[in-house]
Each structure stands twice: as C-alpha cells, then as structure tokens.
Amino acid sequence: MPDISSHLFVFMLAAFLGLEVIHRVSPLLHTPLMSLTNAISAISVIAAIQLAGAKETTLSTILGTCAVAAASTNVIGGFMITDRMLKMFKKREAKR
Amino acid sequence: MNLFLATISPLENSKLTSFLSTATYLVAAAFFVLALKWLSAPTTARRGNRIGEIGMAAAIIGALLQYHVVTYEWIIVGFVIGFLLGAPMAIWMPMTAVPQRTALSHAFGALAAALVGTAHYYLFDLKNAPPTSTIMGFLCLEVLLGALTFTGSLMACGKLQEVLPTRPIVYKNQNILNLSLLGMAVLCGVLLTAHPQWSWLFPILLVLALAFGVLLIIPIGGADMPTVISLLNSYAGLSASMMGFVLNSKLLIVAGALDGASGFVLSIIMCRAMNRSFTNVLFGAFGQLQTSAAAATEKKTVRSTAPDEVAQLLEAAQNVIIIPGYGMAVAQAQHKVRDLYDQLTQRGVNVKFAIHPVAGRMPGHMNVLLAEAEIPYDKLVGMDEINDEFAQCDVALVVGANDVVNPAARYNKSSPIYGMPIINADKAKTVVAIKRSMNPGFAGIDNELYTLDHTLMLFGDAKKVLGEVVKQLAETAVTA
C-alpha cells in the first residue's frame, strides 16, 4: 500500500510551487512556457518505458510502446521547439 | 505486480539501481522547477529550457536502469517513432502553426497517460489481488482526464489547422448531452473505484471520456481557443500527476502538478482578459450570441484610405502603436510589420506594440510571431502597461485585431464582449485599421472602432497592404 497521504502532500506543495513560479513568467513567454511545461509533463515517458520494457503481457507491451512513442514525441519535439522559440527573443536590434 | 514496488526486489543489484533511479528522479524534479523559474525572463529562459532537458535526460536514464526493465527493443521502437514525429515538427514547422502544434502535443501527452493507465488496469490481477480503491480512483481519474484531453486536443488542433470548421457548432440540448455524458463517465469511474473487478465498465469509461472530449470542443470558437488550449494543458498535466499516484512515483506527481498549475494559471489569465468564467467559455457557445447582436446595429459610414496616405500619416507621426491580432498570423504579415518598424524607427518614430493577452489563438501567440520577425522584445508591451500611452499616440495601427479593440466592450451592456478589457486604440489621435473587408470578426459583432470619425480603414490582405506602405516609405526615404 503506497503512502497516499505523503503523495497528496507532495502534490499540494508542487501545485502551489507551480502556481508561484508560473505567475512570475513574463506574458511575453507564455507560448514557450506552454510548450516547456508540456515537454516536462511528458515525464510520463518513464512510466511508459517501464511498461514497454517489462515484458509482462502482449497488451501491456503494445500499449507501453505506443505510450513511449507518444510521450517521447513531446519530450523531443517539446524541448526543441521551446528552444527554437526562445532563441528568437532578442532585446537588441539584430543586424539584418 | 511488482511493477509498483521498486523497493521489494528479487535481484541482488536492484537496491543500487533503485537508489540510482531515485537519485535521478530527485534531480529531475529539482531541475524542472528550476527550468520554470528561469523561464520567468527572456534573458534566462534558454538556460531554463536547457536544464529542463538535462532533468528529462536524467529521469529517462533512471527509468532505463530500473531492474524490471528487461528488454529494450520496444522502448527503442517507441523512441524512434517519437523522434520521427517530434523532431521534424519542431524543426520545420512555421511559427504561425504553433497553436496547432501545442494542441497536438497536449493530445500526445494525454494519449500517453491514457494508454499507461489502461495498460495498468489490465495488468492488475483482479481476481486474487485487486487494486485498492484509492489506487483505482486515481487510475480512473488518470484515464478519464487523459482520454478526454486526447480527443479534445485533437479537435482543437483540427479547428486551429482549419481542417474542421472553426465556427462554434451548437445544437439543441448540447450542454445537457455533454454534462450527462460526463456524468456517466464519472459514474463509471466511481463504480470502478468501488468495484475494481467490474472490468466490463472500463471500456465504457474510456469510450465515454473519448466522446466527451470531442463534444466539449465542438461548440468552442476560435476566439476562445487561448483559454481552451490552456485548460487542456492543465488537464494533460493533471492526468500525468494522477499517473504518479497510481505508480507511486513522486516525480510524476511533481512534474504533472507543475504542468497542471501552469495550464490553470494561464487559463485564469485568459479568462480574466476576456472577463468571462470557465463555465462560460466551455458552455457559453460564444459565437451564437453575437449573430443576433450584429443584426441589430445599423449601417454606419466608414472612411477608407490608401497605402500612400497611411505612409504619409505614419511618417509625420512621433508615437506609433501597432496592435497585432490573429489576422496578422493568418496573413503571415509579421515580417512586413518588421519592415515597417525598421522604416519608422530609422526616421526617429517611436514604435511600440500593444499585446492583448488573448490576441491570437494561444497565450503569447503574438509575442512569438513578432519575436520571430526579430522585433526586440522590449517593444512588445502588455495591454495594462500600454493603455495609458494611447493619449500621446499619434497613430494606432491595428493589424488583424478586432474584438480586443472594440470600444463597445466598455459601455454597451448588450454586447457579448461587454466588460472585456480592451486595448485603448480609439484614444489615439488617428486610428488605422487594416482589414480584409467589413465582415465582422470572430465574435461576429460590429466593431464601433471602424466607424469613429478619426478611424481610417485600409482594406486588403495585411501582408500586401503593409508591403505597399513600406514601399512608399522606402521611396520617400530615398528622395529625401
């Protein structure tokens, strides 16, 4: 039996921390923010890895592999596009 | 089901690997928080993204080290597919398509959560060792949120890509149908929580949640997309967090909660910027009200103008504020806006941009497009900071924005956008609005700004007419 109450505490603290940190993000960067948090929540890839690699049942392997594919699309694409966007934000005039 | 109990292990070295995994997970969680912290300002934002990547890489290595990962072939297959899907999209996708990609990535994230949840349910030994009600409750929430976010985000993506009709589609008893569908899905979840072994309910829960996701987005119009995308963002994160409860993984809980909080904050900001509530966005069917409101207003005269006249006007101005909207994105006019910015700043004209929080189709949409056009970000000013400056503004140039500059929002109680904070474009000495035609915008309402005495309408495709204005300015620069 996992310790639900300590999990709930972790959830509550992380949620409040998230609210605090996100409030400080400049509205300039709201689009990259969304793609970054999306990439971060693709951490579900670790659960997918455990399913795809555990060789339990055929169904779990298939679903796990699909989940790895879906989550890693976000991991790879999410961080890459966030960087591509952030690179564009420049304070000074760029020479053209 | 030793999958959940990393601490009990049949293998000798399992203690070491599970310690290593835990360590990498801890590092990952810390790095994710740092990543969001550094994202607060453009100067540190790239560092934030980098540390997020490192945290993710650490966590993935930690997961691969887990002793119950016995075969790597399927993991590699998954990664290759993920790379082939994710990388080309990230590298070649035009910046104007960012809202679609974001919606699609919410769909992928939610799909992963729903699939993992489904797999875990069918891995339970329901006869001999059924899961506890607590675990089952979290699993149902995970699958419910994951499935509805998956189809909902796909729908949103389709609407943004304009494969699906962008206008809100409404029909009789829509809200009753939607709510009863959700109610039935929740009921399935509750029953499953109480009786995990009633496995026939599980596919029903899945189907109901998938259907609800589709129906939820059908009545949403383009103008509401920023809120809805943020809300779906939040759901996808919460779904990952619920997965953490099921799997006993604090890293998943933390990362999911961060994502959930972020989507939540953004949707509140978006709602506030439209003076509407969540329920109003989700169940209000924005587009419907306005058609009736539009019919009531009588025809008024508009003054139209030509690019050369606008060029002269801008040249003579000291302070110019440009108000971009979704129309700029549609016309891909951001680079022409940049040319105009160059021409005017060379002449010593002070040019700024007024960004409404809900301009475009997702939070921050306009900022990304203008940054892509290499406009320095300190010229992009939020609505609240810039609104007082319109009194000193000689020309307010509206490029493809509509509802966010409609003065009716201030006083016309019968207007559907009444109470929505707007950009004070009408307070400028002269207003120039670039628009394709006099057709009403997304909200379907007449815009009083266009019929004001000091407003000039410049009809045409934003990219084309701005190009002509820039050409005029360039020519006068040569002769002068």
Side-chain angles (χ1 to χ4, degrees):
Chain A
M1 176 67 198
D3 184 3
I4 291 294
S5 80
S6 82
H7 286 355
L8 283 171
F9 266 93
V10 169
F11 177 77
M12 192 262 302
L13 292 174
F16 273 104
L17 183 63
L19 293 176
E20 274 306 306
V21 177
I22 305 293
H23 258 300
R24 287 164 212 262
V25 174
S26 152
L28 273 178
L29 298 178
H30 276 166
T31 299
L33 166 71
M34 202 180 265
S35 65
L36 179 68
T37 52
N38 190 265
I40 286 176
S41 82
I43 188 69
S44 53
V45 73
I46 63 170
I49 285 174
Q50 294 181 20
L51 273 175
K55 243 186 190 166
E56 300 223 27
T57 62
T58 319
L59 179 72
S60 76
T61 310
I62 294 172
L63 294 180
T65 308
C66 293
V68 172
S72 59
T73 305
N74 278 0
V75 170
I76 296 159
F79 284 114
M80 279 171 81
I81 195 136
T82 310
D83 192 57
R84 197 179 136 201
M85 283 193 268
L86 292 175
K87 240 190 317 205
M88 302 183 318
F89 283 87
K90 296 189 189 87
K91 186 146 193 170
R92 291 276 150 249
E93 301 276 327
K95 284 264 171 282
R96 300 221 299 171
Chain B
M1 269 321 299
N2 57 4
L3 195 68
F4 301 144
L5 303 168
T7 43
I8 305 164
S9 130
L11 295 171
E12 266 294 294
N13 64 347
S14 67
K15 258 197 181 141
L16 179 66
T17 56
S18 101
F19 169 75
L20 280 175
S21 305
T22 311
T24 59
Y25 289 179
L26 198 63
V27 168
F31 280 14
F32 289 163
V33 176
L34 269 180
L36 292 177
K37 185 177 142 55
W38 281 339
L39 200 71
S40 59
T43 40
T44 51
R46 282 189 81 189
R47 198 190 331 157
N49 191 53
R50 194 58 37 80
I51 204 161
E53 284 170 16
I54 298 170
M56 181 61 73
I60 290 176
I61 292 168
L64 292 171
L65 282 175
Q66 295 263 356
Y67 68 91
H68 37 66
V69 174
V70 290
T71 159
Y72 290 98
E73 48 191 312
W74 292 110
I75 298 174
I76 293 168
V77 169
F79 270 124
V80 169
I81 298 173
F83 182 80
L84 291 178
L85 286 175
M89 230 182 341
I91 297 171
W92 289 300
M93 187 207 60
M95 277 299 149
T96 39
V98 161
Q100 291 91 303
R101 195 218 75 101
T102 308
L104 198 61
S105 65
H106 293 158
F108 278 122
L111 174 68
L115 289 175
V116 170
T118 307
H120 282 136
Y121 180 70
Y122 287 108
L123 277 177
F124 286 131
D125 184 354
L126 292 173
K127 274 213 186 77
N128 301 316
T132 62
S133 288
T134 333
I135 292 294
M136 199 56 209
F138 283 118
L139 194 140
C140 286
L141 264 179
E142 176 196 341
V143 172
L144 180 71
L145 283 172
L148 80 86
T149 309
F150 171 58
T151 49
S153 299
L154 281 184
M155 288 290 295
C157 177
K159 283 195 169 206
L160 289 164
Q161 185 68 42
E162 296 184 9
V163 216
L164 297 170
T166 45
R167 282 230 153 239
I169 299 166
V170 282
Y171 44 86
K172 232 181 143 194
N173 296 334
Q174 188 168 31
N175 289 342
I176 300 172
L177 176 74
N178 288 1
L179 285 177
S180 51
L181 212 62
L182 179 65
M184 277 174 357
V186 170
L187 185 69
C188 284
V190 170
L191 287 174
L192 271 169
T193 304
H195 308 279
Q197 62 275 32
W198 289 4
S199 57
W200 55 274
L201 272 171
F202 194 81
I204 301 179
L205 169 70
L206 257 181
V207 171
L208 285 173
L210 290 170
F212 177 71
V214 175
L215 295 179
L216 185 70
I217 305 302
I218 281 182
I220 306 284
D224 284 335
M225 275 303 166
T227 319
V228 170
I229 281 198
S230 312
L231 213 54
L232 290 169
N233 182 203
S234 184
Y235 290 166
L238 283 179
S239 170
S241 202
M242 295 302 115
M243 187 197 289
F245 281 96
V246 177
L247 291 177
N248 202 8
S249 161
K250 292 198 171 70
L251 174 60
L252 278 175
I253 295 176
V254 170
L258 290 175
D259 190 22
S262 161
F264 185 66
V265 169
L266 288 176
S267 35
I268 287 179
I269 295 174
M270 296 300 116
C271 277
R272 216 174 272 161
M274 294 198 296
N275 190 37
R276 299 174 68 206
S277 64
F278 279 136
T279 37
N280 190 270
V281 171
L282 287 179
F283 303 109
F286 203 33
Q288 212 46 15
L289 292 139
Q290 287 94 31
T291 21
S292 51
T297 45
E298 81 245 45
K299 282 268 167 279
K300 283 182 185 154
T301 47
V302 290
R303 289 166 60 199
S304 82
T305 181
D308 51 343
E309 199 183 337
V310 174
Q312 286 165 17
L313 206 61
L314 290 170
E315 212 174 3
Q318 267 187 345
N319 292 306
V320 171
I321 300 179
I322 301 178
I323 303 126
Y326 184 56
M328 185 187 79
V330 173
Q332 310 243 0
Q334 66 270 31
H335 298 286
K336 284 283 174 261
V337 170
R338 159 74 201 211
D339 293 341
L340 180 68
Y341 170 84
D342 280 346
Q343 284 292 338
L344 292 177
T345 39
Q346 273 166 26
R347 288 171 162 78
V349 180
N350 182 18
V351 185
K352 282 185 183 168
F353 292 83
I355 316 282
H356 194 281
V358 294
R361 287 294 174 266
M362 72 177 291
H365 191 184
M366 292 298 120
N367 298 309
V368 166
L369 291 181
L370 293 171
E372 186 203 8
E374 297 184 30
I375 288 166
Y377 64 77
D378 50 350
K379 299 289 178 199
L380 312 178
V381 191
M383 171 175 67
D384 294 335
E385 289 98 84
I386 205 162
N387 256 350
D388 292 336
E389 294 184 26
F390 278 96
Q392 290 89 47
C393 169
D394 299 304
V395 182
L397 180 65
V398 181
V399 186
N402 191 359
D403 297 334
V404 298
V405 289
N406 191 345
R410 287 201 207 106
Y411 59 86
N412 185 354
K413 285 199 176 135
S414 65
S415 170
I417 58 166
Y418 174 68
M420 172 169 142
I422 57 160
I423 289 180
N424 294 338
D426 57 324
K427 302 268 168 78
K429 287 182 192 109
T430 311
V431 182
V432 177
I434 301 177
K435 212 170 172 320
R436 263 172 197 281
S437 67
M438 272 311 277
N439 287 337
F442 249 98
I445 1 168
D446 277 348
N447 193 335
E448 292 178 21
L449 181 73
Y450 304 151
T451 52
L452 293 175
D453 289 339
H454 62 291
T455 301
L456 298 168
M457 298 298 294
L458 184 54
F459 289 112
D461 175 75
K463 193 174 175 178
K464 203 169 140 261
V465 294
L466 277 175
E468 283 164 29
V469 173
V470 171
K471 214 172 117 200
Q472 286 286 335
L473 285 171
E475 276 168 17
T476 49
V478 173
T479 49

